[in-house]
Amino acid sequence: SHLWSYNLQYFDYALDLARAYRITGDPRYARRFEHLAEGWIRGTTPGHGDGWEPYPISLRVVNWIYSLLLFGDAVDPSVRGRIEASLLQQLGFLERRLEYHILANHLQKNLKALVIGGIVFSGRAAERWRKKGGRLLWRELGEQVLPDGVHYERSPMYHAIALADFLEVIALLTAAGEPVGEDVRNRVRQMVEAFGVLSRPDGSLHLFNDAANGIAPERSWIDLLARTVLGVGITHSDGLVALVGAGYFGFVDSASGLRLIVDCGEPGPEYQPGHAHCDLLSFELDVDGRPVIVDSGVSGYEGDPLREYVRSTRAHNTVMIGGREQSEIWGTFRVARRARVLAAGQQGNLANYCFQGAYSPYHDRRVAHHRLIERRGAALTITDSVEGAYGAPLSSFVHVHPDFAVEREGERYVLRHGGSVVVIHPFGVDRSTVEIGARQPPQGWYCPEFGVAIPAPVLRLDVDRNDGRPFGYRIELVKSSNG
């Protein structure tokens, strides 16, 4: 696929070779890097093909620069000269083709590459790259990071990628004696704080919007870099959490092992919503430190058979109204008319928690889906109602992590895994069913990483004809390994 071709030409594996050389001192790692880099130079035509698109250039030049620094004198001088000449050519090409037409994380990667190229190389062009890249990168920091510290594409994965990039640039500029403003450092500190909400203590991400594990730098690495560069690390404090600008709410209660994160934010920036999903009023719930109710994630982009599914309303823990999507989505990254957030807020404390949110779907602004999430002790109650769309069928979805087996016992559903037992009690619905790994149309797939799709249970609750009455389900923690 196009994405696979891109990843192949990022040259992330060059850093693996360089790290292996630093650990072992074995020169064969340097020879392999030389072979791969020179093979790419010989095998591509400047300005043509996937490898010469601005985004792959941006990642590859940084990986090559870091690798050359790590290999040091182990790289043959003549080969180093040819690689450095190619780097200068790629950076010059990139400068003329910054991705202003895409913006967001693409432009941020372009600018990071210019800054790093400008730090490592000398001369007038390098000085221009450093100054231009830095000026525009900090402008994008102000544009792309919301006041609550969340990257404006509202994807935990792209947030982590952007955070790591900003931290790297601050570290390198500081090491090179270049000033970095305190306003920049403070905004990146906000990103570090927000990442504690968007990720779990084990390093895994909440999978809202286009987010997958294994792509962004590891949480532990980001934490170490943040502590080194800014003097602050990623924390996961107990209590209510609210990233109001991005629309993430919930709570963390380590004593009871519960972690709830609710998504009630706009689909994305108005001019670049390509990574948005139909996930308004969806949530992820961890019990006893394990994900139990989950987002479906994302398994790939262009050409991926589950691309339409993972962006759809039915792939999230929310309600589908009249069989239609929340926002008008199609293709790989296309979004036209969008759902509109009407309300989002929370109150209470860990023992007595209450979230209330509402949105209007793109296809009828007279319709509103209202959701109330209440916690009382070890139980959560999710109550939905739909204003307008009277007579339309409604479907609420509850996606269960594939580690859990789901069994129906009368009118309730019992989820079991290891020592954890969770019970879901539907109410106010006409029918309830469980699907897993369906293909036509797709339903019941969990995609925690690119290229990974695992059959997973989905509880579907149906209301045949909406009459405005409330419906939903109660989630009860019956037993856990914590006792």
PDB file of all heavy atoms in Angstrom, residues 197 206 208 239-241 248-253 257-263 282-287 293 346 353-355 373-375 380-382 475:
ATOM      1  N   VAL A 197      -3.295  12.019  30.167  1.00  0.00           N
ATOM      2  CA  VAL A 197      -4.702  11.651  30.007  1.00  0.00           C
ATOM      3  C   VAL A 197      -4.895  10.773  28.775  1.00  0.00           C
ATOM      4  O   VAL A 197      -5.680   9.823  28.790  1.00  0.00           O
ATOM      5  CB  VAL A 197      -5.580  12.917  29.897  1.00  0.00           C
ATOM      6  CG1 VAL A 197      -7.040  12.553  29.644  1.00  0.00           C
ATOM      7  CG2 VAL A 197      -5.452  13.760  31.154  1.00  0.00           C
ATOM      8  N   HIS A 206      -4.982   5.649  24.350  1.00  0.00           N
ATOM      9  CA  HIS A 206      -6.409   5.608  24.075  1.00  0.00           C
ATOM     10  C   HIS A 206      -6.576   5.814  22.568  1.00  0.00           C
ATOM     11  O   HIS A 206      -5.916   6.674  21.971  1.00  0.00           O
ATOM     12  CB  HIS A 206      -7.141   6.679  24.876  1.00  0.00           C
ATOM     13  CG  HIS A 206      -7.207   6.367  26.334  1.00  0.00           C
ATOM     14  ND1 HIS A 206      -8.009   5.366  26.841  1.00  0.00           N
ATOM     15  CD2 HIS A 206      -6.556   6.907  27.400  1.00  0.00           C
ATOM     16  CE1 HIS A 206      -7.860   5.302  28.149  1.00  0.00           C
ATOM     17  NE2 HIS A 206      -6.973   6.225  28.520  1.00  0.00           N
ATOM     18  N   PHE A 208      -8.697   6.970  20.310  1.00  0.00           N
ATOM     19  CA  PHE A 208      -9.665   7.868  19.683  1.00  0.00           C
ATOM     20  C   PHE A 208      -9.123   8.415  18.372  1.00  0.00           C
ATOM     21  O   PHE A 208      -7.930   8.661  18.209  1.00  0.00           O
ATOM     22  CB  PHE A 208      -9.999   9.018  20.630  1.00  0.00           C
ATOM     23  CG  PHE A 208     -10.607   8.584  21.934  1.00  0.00           C
ATOM     24  CD1 PHE A 208      -9.924   8.732  23.126  1.00  0.00           C
ATOM     25  CD2 PHE A 208     -11.870   8.006  21.969  1.00  0.00           C
ATOM     26  CE1 PHE A 208     -10.480   8.330  24.326  1.00  0.00           C
ATOM     27  CE2 PHE A 208     -12.441   7.594  23.168  1.00  0.00           C
ATOM     28  CZ  PHE A 208     -11.748   7.758  24.343  1.00  0.00           C
ATOM     29  N   GLY A 239      -8.224  11.256  40.049  1.00  0.00           N
ATOM     30  CA  GLY A 239      -9.164  12.366  40.083  1.00  0.00           C
ATOM     31  C   GLY A 239      -9.857  12.554  38.758  1.00  0.00           C
ATOM     32  O   GLY A 239      -9.694  11.777  37.817  1.00  0.00           O
ATOM     33  N   LEU A 240     -10.673  13.610  38.681  1.00  0.00           N
ATOM     34  CA  LEU A 240     -11.354  13.938  37.447  1.00  0.00           C
ATOM     35  C   LEU A 240     -10.363  14.557  36.465  1.00  0.00           C
ATOM     36  O   LEU A 240      -9.446  15.278  36.871  1.00  0.00           O
ATOM     37  CB  LEU A 240     -12.502  14.919  37.711  1.00  0.00           C
ATOM     38  CG  LEU A 240     -13.864  14.305  38.077  1.00  0.00           C
ATOM     39  CD1 LEU A 240     -13.772  13.425  39.301  1.00  0.00           C
ATOM     40  CD2 LEU A 240     -14.895  15.409  38.289  1.00  0.00           C
ATOM     41  N   VAL A 241     -10.530  14.244  35.181  1.00  0.00           N
ATOM     42  CA  VAL A 241      -9.674  14.811  34.142  1.00  0.00           C
ATOM     43  C   VAL A 241     -10.558  15.529  33.132  1.00  0.00           C
ATOM     44  O   VAL A 241     -11.659  15.063  32.809  1.00  0.00           O
ATOM     45  CB  VAL A 241      -8.825  13.734  33.441  1.00  0.00           C
ATOM     46  CG1 VAL A 241      -7.844  13.110  34.416  1.00  0.00           C
ATOM     47  CG2 VAL A 241      -9.694  12.663  32.803  1.00  0.00           C
ATOM     48  N   TYR A 248     -12.091  15.950  25.840  1.00  0.00           N
ATOM     49  CA  TYR A 248     -11.891  14.701  26.571  1.00  0.00           C
ATOM     50  C   TYR A 248     -12.178  14.924  28.060  1.00  0.00           C
ATOM     51  O   TYR A 248     -11.631  15.844  28.680  1.00  0.00           O
ATOM     52  CB  TYR A 248     -10.462  14.183  26.391  1.00  0.00           C
ATOM     53  CG  TYR A 248     -10.180  13.690  24.990  1.00  0.00           C
ATOM     54  CD1 TYR A 248      -9.275  14.348  24.163  1.00  0.00           C
ATOM     55  CD2 TYR A 248     -10.833  12.571  24.490  1.00  0.00           C
ATOM     56  CE1 TYR A 248      -9.025  13.902  22.877  1.00  0.00           C
ATOM     57  CE2 TYR A 248     -10.598  12.110  23.210  1.00  0.00           C
ATOM     58  CZ  TYR A 248      -9.690  12.790  22.412  1.00  0.00           C
ATOM     59  OH  TYR A 248      -9.456  12.340  21.124  1.00  0.00           O
ATOM     60  N   PHE A 249     -13.020  14.053  28.609  1.00  0.00           N
ATOM     61  CA  PHE A 249     -13.415  14.139  30.013  1.00  0.00           C
ATOM     62  C   PHE A 249     -13.327  12.745  30.636  1.00  0.00           C
ATOM     63  O   PHE A 249     -13.212  11.746  29.935  1.00  0.00           O
ATOM     64  CB  PHE A 249     -14.851  14.652  30.139  1.00  0.00           C
ATOM     65  CG  PHE A 249     -15.065  16.025  29.550  1.00  0.00           C
ATOM     66  CD1 PHE A 249     -15.365  16.184  28.202  1.00  0.00           C
ATOM     67  CD2 PHE A 249     -14.977  17.154  30.345  1.00  0.00           C
ATOM     68  CE1 PHE A 249     -15.571  17.445  27.655  1.00  0.00           C
ATOM     69  CE2 PHE A 249     -15.173  18.421  29.816  1.00  0.00           C
ATOM     70  CZ  PHE A 249     -15.470  18.563  28.466  1.00  0.00           C
ATOM     71  N   GLY A 250     -13.396  12.695  31.972  1.00  0.00           N
ATOM     72  CA  GLY A 250     -13.424  11.391  32.630  1.00  0.00           C
ATOM     73  C   GLY A 250     -12.786  11.427  33.995  1.00  0.00           C
ATOM     74  O   GLY A 250     -12.667  12.471  34.636  1.00  0.00           O
ATOM     75  N   PHE A 251     -12.322  10.243  34.440  1.00  0.00           N
ATOM     76  CA  PHE A 251     -11.695  10.165  35.757  1.00  0.00           C
ATOM     77  C   PHE A 251     -10.735   8.987  35.793  1.00  0.00           C
ATOM     78  O   PHE A 251     -10.806   8.053  34.975  1.00  0.00           O
ATOM     79  CB  PHE A 251     -12.739  10.024  36.865  1.00  0.00           C
ATOM     80  CG  PHE A 251     -13.571   8.769  36.797  1.00  0.00           C
ATOM     81  CD1 PHE A 251     -13.088   7.551  37.275  1.00  0.00           C
ATOM     82  CD2 PHE A 251     -14.851   8.800  36.259  1.00  0.00           C
ATOM     83  CE1 PHE A 251     -13.860   6.397  37.222  1.00  0.00           C
ATOM     84  CE2 PHE A 251     -15.631   7.649  36.194  1.00  0.00           C
ATOM     85  CZ  PHE A 251     -15.132   6.447  36.672  1.00  0.00           C
ATOM     86  N   VAL A 252      -9.820   9.054  36.743  1.00  0.00           N
ATOM     87  CA  VAL A 252      -8.884   7.966  37.026  1.00  0.00           C
ATOM     88  C   VAL A 252      -8.984   7.652  38.509  1.00  0.00           C
ATOM     89  O   VAL A 252      -8.826   8.544  39.350  1.00  0.00           O
ATOM     90  CB  VAL A 252      -7.437   8.362  36.671  1.00  0.00           C
ATOM     91  CG1 VAL A 252      -6.473   7.229  37.030  1.00  0.00           C
ATOM     92  CG2 VAL A 252      -7.314   8.714  35.182  1.00  0.00           C
ATOM     93  N   ASP A 253      -9.264   6.398  38.819  1.00  0.00           N
ATOM     94  CA  ASP A 253      -9.417   5.971  40.220  1.00  0.00           C
ATOM     95  C   ASP A 253      -8.580   4.708  40.421  1.00  0.00           C
ATOM     96  O   ASP A 253      -9.052   3.591  40.190  1.00  0.00           O
ATOM     97  CB  ASP A 253     -10.892   5.710  40.518  1.00  0.00           C
ATOM     98  CG  ASP A 253     -11.133   5.372  41.990  1.00  0.00           C
ATOM     99  OD1 ASP A 253     -10.149   5.278  42.744  1.00  0.00           O
ATOM    100  OD2 ASP A 253     -12.300   5.198  42.373  1.00  0.00           O
ATOM    101  N   GLY A 257      -9.369   0.704  40.455  1.00  0.00           N
ATOM    102  CA  GLY A 257      -8.921   0.177  39.167  1.00  0.00           C
ATOM    103  C   GLY A 257      -9.727   0.673  37.990  1.00  0.00           C
ATOM    104  O   GLY A 257      -9.665   0.083  36.907  1.00  0.00           O
ATOM    105  N   LEU A 258     -10.490   1.756  38.146  1.00  0.00           N
ATOM    106  CA  LEU A 258     -11.325   2.262  37.062  1.00  0.00           C
ATOM    107  C   LEU A 258     -10.666   3.472  36.390  1.00  0.00           C
ATOM    108  O   LEU A 258     -10.098   4.337  37.058  1.00  0.00           O
ATOM    109  CB  LEU A 258     -12.710   2.668  37.580  1.00  0.00           C
ATOM    110  CG  LEU A 258     -13.620   1.547  38.063  1.00  0.00           C
ATOM    111  CD1 LEU A 258     -14.926   2.126  38.595  1.00  0.00           C
ATOM    112  CD2 LEU A 258     -13.909   0.553  36.945  1.00  0.00           C
ATOM    113  N   ARG A 259     -10.770   3.507  35.080  1.00  0.00           N
ATOM    114  CA  ARG A 259     -10.273   4.634  34.288  1.00  0.00           C
ATOM    115  C   ARG A 259     -11.270   4.857  33.156  1.00  0.00           C
ATOM    116  O   ARG A 259     -11.490   3.963  32.328  1.00  0.00           O
ATOM    117  CB  ARG A 259      -8.884   4.337  33.740  1.00  0.00           C
ATOM    118  CG  ARG A 259      -8.292   5.450  32.858  1.00  0.00           C
ATOM    119  CD  ARG A 259      -6.962   5.026  32.255  1.00  0.00           C
ATOM    120  NE  ARG A 259      -6.417   6.062  31.403  1.00  0.00           N
ATOM    121  CZ  ARG A 259      -5.587   7.019  31.805  1.00  0.00           C
ATOM    122  NH1 ARG A 259      -5.193   7.052  33.064  1.00  0.00           N
ATOM    123  NH2 ARG A 259      -5.143   7.926  30.954  1.00  0.00           N
ATOM    124  N   LEU A 260     -11.879   6.036  33.118  1.00  0.00           N
ATOM    125  CA  LEU A 260     -12.880   6.377  32.108  1.00  0.00           C
ATOM    126  C   LEU A 260     -12.423   7.621  31.350  1.00  0.00           C
ATOM    127  O   LEU A 260     -12.108   8.643  31.960  1.00  0.00           O
ATOM    128  CB  LEU A 260     -14.233   6.657  32.760  1.00  0.00           C
ATOM    129  CG  LEU A 260     -15.330   7.202  31.826  1.00  0.00           C
ATOM    130  CD1 LEU A 260     -15.887   6.087  30.949  1.00  0.00           C
ATOM    131  CD2 LEU A 260     -16.447   7.867  32.629  1.00  0.00           C
ATOM    132  N   ILE A 261     -12.383   7.528  30.007  1.00  0.00           N
ATOM    133  CA  ILE A 261     -12.105   8.684  29.171  1.00  0.00           C
ATOM    134  C   ILE A 261     -13.223   8.778  28.134  1.00  0.00           C
ATOM    135  O   ILE A 261     -13.461   7.830  27.383  1.00  0.00           O
ATOM    136  CB  ILE A 261     -10.743   8.591  28.461  1.00  0.00           C
ATOM    137  CG1 ILE A 261      -9.615   8.382  29.470  1.00  0.00           C
ATOM    138  CG2 ILE A 261     -10.492   9.854  27.624  1.00  0.00           C
ATOM    139  CD1 ILE A 261      -9.400   9.534  30.421  1.00  0.00           C
ATOM    140  N   VAL A 262     -13.917   9.936  28.113  1.00  0.00           N
ATOM    141  CA  VAL A 262     -15.048  10.184  27.219  1.00  0.00           C
ATOM    142  C   VAL A 262     -14.618  11.183  26.153  1.00  0.00           C
ATOM    143  O   VAL A 262     -13.924  12.162  26.457  1.00  0.00           O
ATOM    144  CB  VAL A 262     -16.263  10.738  27.993  1.00  0.00           C
ATOM    145  CG1 VAL A 262     -17.464  10.884  27.067  1.00  0.00           C
ATOM    146  CG2 VAL A 262     -16.601   9.843  29.178  1.00  0.00           C
ATOM    147  N   ASP A 263     -15.056  10.955  24.915  1.00  0.00           N
ATOM    148  CA  ASP A 263     -14.738  11.856  23.802  1.00  0.00           C
ATOM    149  C   ASP A 263     -15.981  12.649  23.420  1.00  0.00           C
ATOM    150  O   ASP A 263     -16.965  12.077  22.953  1.00  0.00           O
ATOM    151  CB  ASP A 263     -14.243  11.046  22.601  1.00  0.00           C
ATOM    152  CG  ASP A 263     -13.852  11.922  21.416  1.00  0.00           C
ATOM    153  OD1 ASP A 263     -13.987  13.147  21.516  1.00  0.00           O
ATOM    154  OD2 ASP A 263     -13.409  11.366  20.395  1.00  0.00           O
ATOM    155  N   SER A 282     -18.479   8.697  22.514  1.00  0.00           N
ATOM    156  CA  SER A 282     -17.894   7.391  22.771  1.00  0.00           C
ATOM    157  C   SER A 282     -16.960   7.486  23.968  1.00  0.00           C
ATOM    158  O   SER A 282     -16.639   8.585  24.447  1.00  0.00           O
ATOM    159  CB  SER A 282     -17.137   6.899  21.535  1.00  0.00           C
ATOM    160  OG  SER A 282     -16.647   5.578  21.728  1.00  0.00           O
ATOM    161  N   PHE A 283     -16.502   6.336  24.462  1.00  0.00           N
ATOM    162  CA  PHE A 283     -15.623   6.336  25.625  1.00  0.00           C
ATOM    163  C   PHE A 283     -14.800   5.067  25.643  1.00  0.00           C
ATOM    164  O   PHE A 283     -15.100   4.083  24.940  1.00  0.00           O
ATOM    165  CB  PHE A 283     -16.431   6.452  26.925  1.00  0.00           C
ATOM    166  CG  PHE A 283     -17.337   5.287  27.198  1.00  0.00           C
ATOM    167  CD1 PHE A 283     -16.915   4.210  27.966  1.00  0.00           C
ATOM    168  CD2 PHE A 283     -18.628   5.258  26.679  1.00  0.00           C
ATOM    169  CE1 PHE A 283     -17.757   3.128  28.219  1.00  0.00           C
ATOM    170  CE2 PHE A 283     -19.474   4.185  26.918  1.00  0.00           C
ATOM    171  CZ  PHE A 283     -19.041   3.116  27.690  1.00  0.00           C
ATOM    172  N   GLU A 284     -13.733   5.081  26.432  1.00  0.00           N
ATOM    173  CA  GLU A 284     -12.978   3.882  26.754  1.00  0.00           C
ATOM    174  C   GLU A 284     -12.992   3.713  28.267  1.00  0.00           C
ATOM    175  O   GLU A 284     -12.870   4.695  29.012  1.00  0.00           O
ATOM    176  CB  GLU A 284     -11.543   3.960  26.238  1.00  0.00           C
ATOM    177  CG  GLU A 284     -11.438   3.816  24.718  1.00  0.00           C
ATOM    178  CD  GLU A 284     -10.066   3.351  24.264  1.00  0.00           C
ATOM    179  OE1 GLU A 284      -9.044   3.884  24.762  1.00  0.00           O
ATOM    180  OE2 GLU A 284     -10.009   2.457  23.412  1.00  0.00           O
ATOM    181  N   LEU A 285     -13.135   2.457  28.699  1.00  0.00           N
ATOM    182  CA  LEU A 285     -13.210   2.152  30.126  1.00  0.00           C
ATOM    183  C   LEU A 285     -12.231   1.040  30.463  1.00  0.00           C
ATOM    184  O   LEU A 285     -12.262  -0.034  29.859  1.00  0.00           O
ATOM    185  CB  LEU A 285     -14.630   1.720  30.505  1.00  0.00           C
ATOM    186  CG  LEU A 285     -14.828   1.263  31.959  1.00  0.00           C
ATOM    187  CD1 LEU A 285     -14.625   2.428  32.928  1.00  0.00           C
ATOM    188  CD2 LEU A 285     -16.208   0.629  32.148  1.00  0.00           C
ATOM    189  N   ASP A 286     -11.358   1.316  31.418  1.00  0.00           N
ATOM    190  CA  ASP A 286     -10.450   0.305  31.951  1.00  0.00           C
ATOM    191  C   ASP A 286     -10.964  -0.140  33.309  1.00  0.00           C
ATOM    192  O   ASP A 286     -11.421   0.684  34.115  1.00  0.00           O
ATOM    193  CB  ASP A 286      -9.044   0.858  32.120  1.00  0.00           C
ATOM    194  CG  ASP A 286      -8.376   1.211  30.806  1.00  0.00           C
ATOM    195  OD1 ASP A 286      -9.018   1.068  29.749  1.00  0.00           O
ATOM    196  OD2 ASP A 286      -7.205   1.640  30.840  1.00  0.00           O
ATOM    197  N   VAL A 287     -10.873  -1.432  33.555  1.00  0.00           N
ATOM    198  CA  VAL A 287     -11.255  -2.008  34.842  1.00  0.00           C
ATOM    199  C   VAL A 287     -10.090  -2.846  35.341  1.00  0.00           C
ATOM    200  O   VAL A 287      -9.572  -3.684  34.596  1.00  0.00           O
ATOM    201  CB  VAL A 287     -12.525  -2.882  34.707  1.00  0.00           C
ATOM    202  CG1 VAL A 287     -12.839  -3.576  36.036  1.00  0.00           C
ATOM    203  CG2 VAL A 287     -13.705  -2.055  34.236  1.00  0.00           C
ATOM    204  N   ILE A 293     -13.939  -1.739  27.813  1.00  0.00           N
ATOM    205  CA  ILE A 293     -14.726  -1.125  26.731  1.00  0.00           C
ATOM    206  C   ILE A 293     -13.753  -0.266  25.927  1.00  0.00           C
ATOM    207  O   ILE A 293     -13.110   0.634  26.482  1.00  0.00           O
ATOM    208  CB  ILE A 293     -15.877  -0.263  27.284  1.00  0.00           C
ATOM    209  CG1 ILE A 293     -16.708  -1.068  28.304  1.00  0.00           C
ATOM    210  CG2 ILE A 293     -16.751   0.252  26.161  1.00  0.00           C
ATOM    211  CD1 ILE A 293     -17.328  -2.328  27.744  1.00  0.00           C
ATOM    212  N   GLN A 346     -18.725  17.943  33.049  1.00  0.00           N
ATOM    213  CA  GLN A 346     -18.794  16.941  34.100  1.00  0.00           C
ATOM    214  C   GLN A 346     -18.808  17.621  35.459  1.00  0.00           C
ATOM    215  O   GLN A 346     -18.452  18.791  35.592  1.00  0.00           O
ATOM    216  CB  GLN A 346     -17.618  15.974  33.995  1.00  0.00           C
ATOM    217  CG  GLN A 346     -16.266  16.628  34.198  1.00  0.00           C
ATOM    218  CD  GLN A 346     -15.100  15.671  33.937  1.00  0.00           C
ATOM    219  OE1 GLN A 346     -15.285  14.563  33.453  1.00  0.00           O
ATOM    220  NE2 GLN A 346     -13.891  16.102  34.250  1.00  0.00           N
ATOM    221  N   TYR A 353     -19.804  10.531  40.208  1.00  0.00           N
ATOM    222  CA  TYR A 353     -19.351  11.243  39.009  1.00  0.00           C
ATOM    223  C   TYR A 353     -20.502  11.377  38.026  1.00  0.00           C
ATOM    224  O   TYR A 353     -21.353  10.481  37.905  1.00  0.00           O
ATOM    225  CB  TYR A 353     -18.202  10.465  38.362  1.00  0.00           C
ATOM    226  CG  TYR A 353     -17.785  10.999  37.012  1.00  0.00           C
ATOM    227  CD1 TYR A 353     -16.942  12.097  36.902  1.00  0.00           C
ATOM    228  CD2 TYR A 353     -18.239  10.393  35.835  1.00  0.00           C
ATOM    229  CE1 TYR A 353     -16.547  12.583  35.665  1.00  0.00           C
ATOM    230  CE2 TYR A 353     -17.854  10.875  34.590  1.00  0.00           C
ATOM    231  CZ  TYR A 353     -17.013  11.976  34.509  1.00  0.00           C
ATOM    232  OH  TYR A 353     -16.636  12.461  33.284  1.00  0.00           O
ATOM    233  N   CYS A 354     -20.493  12.496  37.274  1.00  0.00           N
ATOM    234  CA  CYS A 354     -21.544  12.705  36.271  1.00  0.00           C
ATOM    235  C   CYS A 354     -20.969  13.454  35.072  1.00  0.00           C
ATOM    236  O   CYS A 354     -20.397  14.536  35.223  1.00  0.00           O
ATOM    237  CB  CYS A 354     -22.696  13.504  36.877  1.00  0.00           C
ATOM    238  SG  CYS A 354     -24.010  13.898  35.691  1.00  0.00           S
ATOM    239  N   PHE A 355     -21.116  12.865  33.891  1.00  0.00           N
ATOM    240  CA  PHE A 355     -20.775  13.522  32.625  1.00  0.00           C
ATOM    241  C   PHE A 355     -22.051  13.703  31.817  1.00  0.00           C
ATOM    242  O   PHE A 355     -22.882  12.797  31.738  1.00  0.00           O
ATOM    243  CB  PHE A 355     -19.782  12.691  31.818  1.00  0.00           C
ATOM    244  CG  PHE A 355     -19.664  13.157  30.380  1.00  0.00           C
ATOM    245  CD1 PHE A 355     -18.816  14.202  30.043  1.00  0.00           C
ATOM    246  CD2 PHE A 355     -20.429  12.564  29.380  1.00  0.00           C
ATOM    247  CE1 PHE A 355     -18.734  14.649  28.728  1.00  0.00           C
ATOM    248  CE2 PHE A 355     -20.351  12.998  28.066  1.00  0.00           C
ATOM    249  CZ  PHE A 355     -19.495  14.050  27.735  1.00  0.00           C
ATOM    250  N   ILE A 373     -23.528   9.970  31.700  1.00  0.00           N
ATOM    251  CA  ILE A 373     -22.732   8.896  32.290  1.00  0.00           C
ATOM    252  C   ILE A 373     -22.589   9.192  33.777  1.00  0.00           C
ATOM    253  O   ILE A 373     -22.055  10.239  34.165  1.00  0.00           O
ATOM    254  CB  ILE A 373     -21.346   8.781  31.636  1.00  0.00           C
ATOM    255  CG1 ILE A 373     -21.480   8.502  30.122  1.00  0.00           C
ATOM    256  CG2 ILE A 373     -20.529   7.674  32.302  1.00  0.00           C
ATOM    257  CD1 ILE A 373     -20.150   8.408  29.398  1.00  0.00           C
ATOM    258  N   GLU A 374     -23.071   8.261  34.599  1.00  0.00           N
ATOM    259  CA  GLU A 374     -23.034   8.447  36.048  1.00  0.00           C
ATOM    260  C   GLU A 374     -22.292   7.298  36.697  1.00  0.00           C
ATOM    261  O   GLU A 374     -22.471   6.129  36.315  1.00  0.00           O
ATOM    262  CB  GLU A 374     -24.448   8.524  36.613  1.00  0.00           C
ATOM    263  CG  GLU A 374     -25.277   9.687  36.099  1.00  0.00           C
ATOM    264  CD  GLU A 374     -26.703   9.624  36.582  1.00  0.00           C
ATOM    265  OE1 GLU A 374     -27.467   8.769  36.081  1.00  0.00           O
ATOM    266  OE2 GLU A 374     -27.050  10.423  37.473  1.00  0.00           O
ATOM    267  N   ARG A 375     -21.483   7.621  37.694  1.00  0.00           N
ATOM    268  CA  ARG A 375     -20.831   6.596  38.492  1.00  0.00           C
ATOM    269  C   ARG A 375     -21.347   6.664  39.912  1.00  0.00           C
ATOM    270  O   ARG A 375     -21.353   7.726  40.534  1.00  0.00           O
ATOM    271  CB  ARG A 375     -19.315   6.784  38.513  1.00  0.00           C
ATOM    272  CG  ARG A 375     -18.641   5.683  39.361  1.00  0.00           C
ATOM    273  CD  ARG A 375     -17.211   5.978  39.701  1.00  0.00           C
ATOM    274  NE  ARG A 375     -16.648   4.879  40.501  1.00  0.00           N
ATOM    275  CZ  ARG A 375     -15.446   4.881  41.044  1.00  0.00           C
ATOM    276  NH1 ARG A 375     -14.649   5.935  40.885  1.00  0.00           N
ATOM    277  NH2 ARG A 375     -15.020   3.848  41.763  1.00  0.00           N
ATOM    278  N   LEU A 380     -21.279   2.016  36.609  1.00  0.00           N
ATOM    279  CA  LEU A 380     -21.453   3.138  35.697  1.00  0.00           C
ATOM    280  C   LEU A 380     -22.766   2.953  34.962  1.00  0.00           C
ATOM    281  O   LEU A 380     -23.069   1.845  34.483  1.00  0.00           O
ATOM    282  CB  LEU A 380     -20.322   3.199  34.671  1.00  0.00           C
ATOM    283  CG  LEU A 380     -18.947   3.701  35.108  1.00  0.00           C
ATOM    284  CD1 LEU A 380     -17.959   3.513  33.970  1.00  0.00           C
ATOM    285  CD2 LEU A 380     -19.011   5.161  35.492  1.00  0.00           C
ATOM    286  N   THR A 381     -23.540   4.010  34.839  1.00  0.00           N
ATOM    287  CA  THR A 381     -24.783   3.956  34.079  1.00  0.00           C
ATOM    288  C   THR A 381     -24.685   4.924  32.912  1.00  0.00           C
ATOM    289  O   THR A 381     -24.390   6.102  33.097  1.00  0.00           O
ATOM    290  CB  THR A 381     -25.989   4.322  34.956  1.00  0.00           C
ATOM    291  OG1 THR A 381     -26.047   3.420  36.071  1.00  0.00           O
ATOM    292  CG2 THR A 381     -27.281   4.219  34.161  1.00  0.00           C
ATOM    293  N   ILE A 382     -24.908   4.403  31.704  1.00  0.00           N
ATOM    294  CA  ILE A 382     -24.867   5.203  30.480  1.00  0.00           C
ATOM    295  C   ILE A 382     -26.294   5.333  29.983  1.00  0.00           C
ATOM    296  O   ILE A 382     -26.927   4.329  29.598  1.00  0.00           O
ATOM    297  CB  ILE A 382     -23.972   4.559  29.408  1.00  0.00           C
ATOM    298  CG1 ILE A 382     -22.498   4.633  29.826  1.00  0.00           C
ATOM    299  CG2 ILE A 382     -24.145   5.259  28.067  1.00  0.00           C
ATOM    300  CD1 ILE A 382     -22.052   3.560  30.756  1.00  0.00           C
ATOM    301  N   ILE A 475     -23.022  -0.659  33.675  1.00  0.00           N
ATOM    302  CA  ILE A 475     -21.811  -1.482  33.725  1.00  0.00           C
ATOM    303  C   ILE A 475     -21.447  -1.681  35.192  1.00  0.00           C
ATOM    304  O   ILE A 475     -21.212  -0.713  35.922  1.00  0.00           O
ATOM    305  CB  ILE A 475     -20.646  -0.800  32.980  1.00  0.00           C
ATOM    306  CG1 ILE A 475     -21.030  -0.510  31.527  1.00  0.00           C
ATOM    307  CG2 ILE A 475     -19.395  -1.671  33.033  1.00  0.00           C
ATOM    308  CD1 ILE A 475     -19.999   0.313  30.779  1.00  0.00           C
TER     309      ILE A 475
END
